[in-house]
Amino acid sequence: MEPVVIQLLNGLSIASILIMVSLGLAVIFGMLGIINLAHGEFFMLGAYCVATATAWGLSPWWGIAAAPIVVGLVGMAAQQTIIKPLYRRPLDTLLATWGLSIVIRQVVRLIYGSGQMMAGSLITGSTSLFGFSYPTYRLFIILVTVAIVALTFLLYFRSDFGLRIRMVIANRSMAGALGVNTQSTDLWAFTVAAAMVGFAGAIMSPLIVINPDMGLAYLSRAFIVVIIGGIGHLYGVVAGGVAIGGTEAALSFYLRPVVAQILVVFIAVVLIRIRPQGLTGGPRG
């Protein structure tokens, strides 16, 4: 029984990590139609905020508090200077955000060097759950993910801001004619999405090795989650994260983690071939 419970919790933990990383991408890519190849670098900047706080002798919690603000401001600047002129040329954002990702990585190398950094521990120890011990911080990540997903759904479906986003997505011209400031909506949607990614990097920082290239792996996994779940659906992120995280945890029980991740990618490709609209399917919204 113990291995089953542990693997179930591992699956929830991996799914939570993937959902947190992918939520911001779901807004930028699935809703605004922007192919943001700097998504991984936004995640990396959030982790560096915590590493910087640790290096300065501050509590890592200060880094977590600063991460969404810092990364949100970076996203705001990127949207105004790079993304905004390309909203009607979505394929051009591929090249623009790829260049932005290179610039961010090189700036981080100039400031911090190419070596690895570590974030301070936030919550240590294990918690007894169903009679078994499990790392407390991983349980904390699961709970935080549930809270973030709930807040995101409330923001998107139960607020005026979310209504404006959905109006712009459905029909930009009509939304503008009805008095919606489409440029301001685009700006704040991109900023909030960047802040979410930065927070994900910060909350994940105690569990990962921090370096300038760390965002690349999370970028690819986030795209897989969004596509598997269904582009344009927030609930698709949850479905994709649970599917990929659960499959990876189950395979890791029998195989080495690297082999398990390779098989997960293969399974994802097959699933996309069978069901290109993703697990949630249906129209965008």
Side-chain angles (χ1 to χ4, degrees):
M1 185 63 182
E2 181 175 0
V4 175
V5 174
I6 295 299
Q7 288 305 116
L8 178 61
L9 291 174
N10 285 340
L12 288 174
S13 177
I14 296 173
S16 298
I17 292 167
L18 294 176
I19 290 169
M20 287 190 66
V21 175
S22 304
L23 269 178
L25 186 66
V27 176
I28 297 173
F29 176 49
M31 297 180 186
L32 300 181
I34 300 300
I35 305 173
N36 180 27
L37 292 186
H39 180 83
E41 278 59 46
F42 289 168
F43 177 84
M44 177 260 292
L45 289 177
Y48 267 97
C49 286
V50 181
T52 301
T54 302
W56 288 355
L58 301 174
S59 169
W61 292 105
W62 285 106
I64 289 179
I69 299 173
V70 171
V71 181
L73 290 174
V74 172
M76 179 180 288
Q79 194 277 341
Q80 286 292 90
T81 58
I82 299 174
I83 306 298
K84 183 179 177 180
L86 302 177
Y87 266 114
R88 297 186 182 276
R89 296 150 54 193
L91 291 180
D92 290 349
T93 62
L94 193 80
L95 181 60
T97 55
W98 177 64
L100 175 63
S101 69
I102 295 175
V103 170
I104 292 176
R105 286 201 301 271
Q106 295 307 317
V107 169
V108 169
R109 282 193 176 93
L110 288 174
I111 297 174
Y112 296 97
S114 299
Q116 298 177 343
M117 297 184 69
M118 299 297 293
S121 298
L122 295 171
I123 301 175
T124 59
S126 300
T127 298
S128 180
L129 196 65
F130 304 113
F132 309 109
S133 295
Y134 196 75
T136 303
Y137 192 70
R138 288 189 175 271
L139 294 175
F140 172 72
I141 287 179
I142 295 173
L143 295 176
V144 168
T145 301
V146 172
I148 293 297
V149 169
L151 288 174
T152 302
F153 272 75
L154 287 174
L155 177 67
Y156 185 63
F157 292 108
R158 293 292 185 268
S159 71
D160 291 339
F161 176 67
L163 177 61
R164 289 195 297 271
I165 292 178
R166 286 183 283 130
M167 289 176 66
V168 171
I169 293 170
N171 191 318
R172 178 177 293 270
S173 299
M174 182 61 70
L178 292 174
V180 176
N181 188 333
T182 57
Q183 293 188 1
S184 175
T185 301
D186 290 339
L187 172 62
W188 285 107
F190 195 94
T191 300
V192 170
M196 291 168 60
V197 178
F199 179 78
I203 209 75
M204 276 293 300
S205 60
L207 301 179
I208 55 181
V209 176
I210 302 169
N211 61 65
D213 296 316
M214 60 175 287
L216 297 174
Y218 289 94
L219 171 68
S220 58
R221 298 179 79 185
F223 268 108
I224 290 175
V225 168
V226 172
I227 294 172
I228 287 294
I231 297 174
H233 297 282
L234 279 180
Y235 45 85
V237 176
V238 179
V242 171
I244 298 298
T247 303
E248 184 175 325
L251 291 175
S252 297
F253 184 72
Y254 302 100
L255 305 169
R256 289 181 298 173
V258 174
V259 177
Q261 290 180 9
I262 293 173
L263 286 177
V264 166
V265 173
F266 176 76
I267 293 171
V269 171
V270 173
L271 183 57
I272 292 170
R273 179 67 180 87
I274 297 173
R275 190 175 174 82
Q277 73 271 33
L279 294 175
T280 55
R284 290 168 56 128

